[in-house]
Amino acid sequence: AAPSNGSVSPLSMEIDRMQAENAKLLKRLTAVESANMNIYAKDERIKDLETKLKESKERIKELERLLSRGNESKAKEINDKYRVGVKDLEKQLEKERQKNKALAIEMDKKTKMYDQLREHEFKDLKEELDKLEAQRKQDIVLLQKSNTEEGSKVRKDLEKAKAEITKLKGENKELAKVRSELEGKSNMFEQNVRRLEGELAKLGAEASKVLMMKQNLETLTAQMEKNKADYKIMEEKYKDELLKRKRLHNIIEDMKGKIRVYCRVRPPNKQEIDMKSPMIVNVVDELTLKVQTRHGIKTFGFDSVFSSASSQDKVFEDTKRLVQSAVDGYNVCIFAYGQTGTGKTYTIQGNDANPGIAPRSFIELYRILSMMNNYTYKVECYMVELYVDTLTDLLLPKAMRGNPPHLEIKEDMKGMMYICLLYTSDAADDMQCVDLGGRRIIKKKKKTKI
C-alpha cells in the first residue's frame, strides 16, 4: 500500500497540471470563437445593409415607374429622398466591408498562430499523456494488489454517500415545494399589503374630508348659535314693538269712540227713478247730512257719512282697522240697521263683483294672520239670524235642521255675551269663510239683523 500511495500522488499533481493547461487552451479557444462571432456579426450586418440597399433600389425602380406614369413631381421628390438614403447605405456598406476585411485578415493571422501553438502543445501533451498512461497502468496494477478491505470500505462510504445524496435530493424537492408555497403566499401577502395601502389612502382622504366637514359643522354650529341668540333678541324686540303698536293702535281707535255710527246713502232705485221722486237727503260733508222732512230740514251728525257715489271699497276702508283690533284681542261688532230695502245686505255681504264688509273682513283677517309667523291660530265661524226675537243658526248642518237646538243669548263669568248650543265651523282660509257665509239660505224675504 505504501508504494501505491507514493505513485498516486505525482499522478494527481500531473493531472492537475494538465487540467490547468487545458483551461488555458480553452480560454484561448474562447477568444478565437469570440473573434469568429464578431466576424459573423459583421457578416450579418453586411447582409442586413445589402438587403436594405436592395429594398431601396427596388423602391427607386418603383418611383421611376411612377415617374414614367405622370406623377413626376411627387416621384422625383420621393426618388431624391431615397437616392440620398441609398448613398448613405452604400457608404455604410463600404465601411462595414472594409472593417470586415481587416477583421478577416487579423483572424487569419490569429488562426495560423493558434494552429501552430496548438500543434506544438498537442505534441507535448501527447508525450506527457503517453507517460501518464504508462504510469496509470502501473498504478492500477499496484492498486489491484492493495488490500481489498479499503476498497470495500470506500464502496460502503460511496453507497452511504449516494443514499445521503438521494435523501438530500428528496429534502431539496420538499424545500422547493415549500419555497414555492411560501413565494405564492408572499405574492398574496404583497397584493394584500398593496390593497390595504390603497384602502388606507382612501380612508385617509375620507378622514380628511370628514375632518373638514367637522370643522365646517363646528363653524356653522357656532354661527347658528349666534343667529339663535340674535333671533331671540330680535324676537323680544319684535314682541315689544308689537305690543307698543297694539297699544297705540287701540288708543287711537278708542279716541275715535268705542261706539261709532256711520251713515250710508243709497242711490235711487228703479221705482223711485220712474216715479221721479225727489232726493230728500243732502250730504253736506264727510260727517254731516241734511234730511228734508215734513217739519223742515233737519241736520244729523255721524262719525262718517258715505254718499250714494261711495264704493264698497271706500266704505270698508274706514272699518278695516277694526279687524286688527279683533286680532289684538278686542271684541268688535259691526252690524247694519235700517228699513227694508235700504241696502243693509249689499253693504255687509255685497256680491261677487262688489264684495261687502264681511268678505273683505275675512280677507283682511287672514292677511294679518299670514304675517304672524311666530304664532299659531285657529279661526272658527258661526252665523245666526235674529228675527222677531228668534235666533236661527244659519250654518247648522242639514241633518240637524229637522230638530234644531234652542239658541239662547247668555252671559259668562267674565261678562261676555255668547250664544249657547251654537254650531261653529272651522275655516282654514278666507275663501272658506266666504263660502260658509254664502251657504246662508233665506227662503222668505225677512227683516234681518246681522
Side-chain angles (χ1 to χ4, degrees):
S4 64
N5 290 337
S7 60
V8 170
S9 180
L11 180 61
S12 299
M13 293 174 63
E14 191 66 26
I15 290 172
D16 293 338
R17 187 182 65 78
M18 289 179 67
Q19 287 177 349
E21 292 293 333
N22 285 333
K24 290 180 181 179
L25 291 173
L26 183 62
K27 187 175 182 180
R28 292 177 184 175
L29 180 62
T30 302
V32 172
E33 288 176 350
S34 176
N36 287 332
M37 289 297 293
N38 290 333
I39 293 172
Y40 178 74
K42 293 291 183 179
D43 289 340
E44 291 295 325
R45 175 65 176 166
I46 291 171
K47 288 180 182 179
D48 184 50
L49 291 172
E50 288 176 348
T51 302
K52 290 183 178 180
L53 181 61
K54 185 176 179 181
E55 291 176 355
S56 298
K57 288 180 178 180
E58 290 293 330
R59 290 176 181 171
I60 290 171
K61 288 179 181 180
E62 184 178 354
L63 291 172
E64 289 175 351
R65 286 196 296 273
L66 290 172
L67 184 62
S68 62
R69 293 177 184 175
N71 297 328
E72 183 175 354
S73 59
K74 184 176 181 180
K76 186 176 180 182
E77 181 183 350
I78 300 173
N79 188 20
D80 292 341
K81 181 180 178 181
Y82 278 110
R83 284 185 181 279
V84 172
V86 169
K87 287 180 180 180
D88 292 339
L89 289 172
E90 287 178 348
K91 289 179 182 180
Q92 291 180 16
L93 182 61
E94 185 62 28
K95 288 180 181 179
E96 294 294 332
R97 283 176 177 171
Q98 292 296 330
K99 289 180 181 179
N100 194 28
K101 186 176 180 180
L103 286 173
I105 293 170
E106 185 179 354
M107 187 61 194
D108 288 339
K109 290 180 181 179
K110 288 184 178 181
T111 303
K112 288 179 181 180
M113 187 185 299
Y114 173 71
D115 291 340
Q116 291 175 0
L117 181 62
R118 186 175 61 178
E119 184 179 357
H120 177 71
E121 290 181 350
F122 181 75
K123 184 177 180 181
D124 293 340
L125 286 171
K126 190 173 184 303
E127 291 177 356
E128 290 180 1
L129 284 172
D130 291 340
K131 291 180 181 179
L132 289 172
E133 182 66 20
Q135 185 65 36
R136 186 182 68 82
K137 289 179 179 179
Q138 185 178 359
D139 290 338
I140 288 171
V141 172
L142 293 173
L143 286 170
Q144 288 176 350
K145 291 180 179 180
S146 64
N147 194 356
T148 57
E149 291 181 0
E150 185 177 355
S152 177
K153 183 180 179 182
V154 170
R155 282 194 296 272
K156 288 181 180 179
D157 292 339
L158 182 60
E159 290 176 357
K160 186 177 180 181
K162 286 181 178 179
E164 190 69 23
I165 289 171
T166 303
K167 182 180 179 182
L168 290 174
K169 285 182 178 179
E171 291 178 353
N172 192 23
K173 287 182 180 179
E174 292 294 329
L175 290 173
K177 185 177 179 181
V178 172
R179 180 184 176 183
S180 177
E181 291 177 355
L182 290 174
E183 287 178 350
K185 291 181 179 179
S186 177
N187 293 332
M188 186 181 298
F189 178 74
E190 289 178 358
Q191 292 176 359
N192 292 332
V193 169
R194 287 194 293 270
R195 179 176 59 80
L196 291 174
E197 287 176 350
E199 292 179 357
L200 184 61
K202 290 181 180 179
L203 289 174
E206 292 294 332
S208 300
K209 290 181 181 179
V210 170
L211 183 60
M212 187 178 296
M213 290 173 67
K214 182 181 178 182
Q215 293 174 352
N216 294 335
L217 180 61
E218 291 175 351
T219 303
L220 291 173
T221 303
Q223 185 65 34
M224 186 174 68
E225 293 296 330
K226 183 177 180 299
N227 291 339
K228 283 183 178 179
D230 294 341
Y231 175 78
K232 189 173 182 181
I233 294 171
M234 294 299 293
E235 186 178 18
E236 290 176 355
K237 289 182 179 180
Y238 171 75
K239 288 180 179 179
D240 292 339
E241 293 298 326
L242 184 62
L243 184 59
K244 291 178 183 179
R245 184 200 61 76
K246 286 181 180 181
R247 288 174 181 172
L248 292 173
H249 172 78
N250 289 290
I251 287 171
I252 293 170
E253 293 300 321
D254 288 342
M255 290 173 65
K256 293 180 180 179
K258 291 187 177 181
I259 299 175
R260 301 172 210 170
V261 181
Y262 296 161
C263 180
R264 185 180 190 185
V265 179
R266 69 164 176 80
N269 57 31
K270 185 177 181 304
Q271 184 180 1
E272 292 169 344
I273 294 173
D274 292 341
M275 292 175 61
K276 298 181 180 180
S277 299
M279 192 72 174
I280 63 172
V281 179
N282 180 26
V283 178
V284 179
D285 54 35
E286 293 182 352
L287 303 176
T288 310
L289 60 79
K290 291 182 179 182
V291 180
Q292 186 176 355
T293 68
R294 296 176 183 179
H295 304 288
I297 297 174
K298 291 187 177 182
T299 303
F300 297 92
F302 299 93
D303 292 299
S304 185
V305 175
F306 301 101
S307 68
S308 59
S310 297
S311 64
Q312 295 280 66
D313 186 60
K314 177 67 176 175
V315 174
F316 179 68
E317 185 67 27
D318 205 27
T319 57
K320 72 176 183 179
R321 288 187 294 273
L322 297 174
V323 178
Q324 179 66 59
S325 296
V327 174
D328 292 341
Y330 290 84
N331 291 322
V332 176
C333 177
I334 301 174
F335 67 91
Y337 181 81
Q339 295 176 326
T340 302
T342 55
K344 300 185 298 298
T345 302
Y346 180 77
T347 298
I348 296 297
Q349 196 71 22
N351 53 36
D352 293 339
N354 295 292
I357 292 176
R360 292 174 185 267
S361 297
F362 300 154
I363 295 171
E364 178 67 12
L365 172 65
Y366 282 94
R367 186 191 70 80
I368 295 172
L369 293 176
S370 66
M371 298 171 63
M372 300 170 64
N373 298 324
N374 297 324
Y375 295 87
T376 57
Y377 57 85
K378 180 181 180 182
V379 179
E380 292 181 338
C381 299
Y382 66 87
M383 192 172 186
V384 295
E385 177 188 63
L386 176 60
Y387 180 69
V388 192
D389 296 332
T390 301
L391 291 171
T392 303
D393 192 340
L394 299 179
L395 297 184
L396 195 65
K398 188 175 181 180
M400 299 173 63
R401 291 176 189 172
N403 186 20
H406 179 66
L407 303 180
E408 289 183 330
I409 300 175
K410 294 185 177 182
E411 183 178 355
D412 63 9
M413 295 177 64
K414 296 180 180 179
M416 299 292 293
M417 306 303 293
Y418 72 97
I419 302 174
C420 63
L421 303 178
L422 190 65
Y423 183 82
T424 60
S425 177
D426 294 339
D429 52 38
D430 53 355
M431 295 308 297
Q432 191 171 359
C433 280
V434 174
D435 180 63
L436 289 171
R439 285 162 51 189
R440 182 169 58 93
I441 301 172
I442 303 176
K443 296 182 179 180
K444 297 180 181 180
K445 187 175 181 182
K446 302 178 181 179
K447 181 178 179 181
T448 308
K449 293 182 183 179
I450 300 175

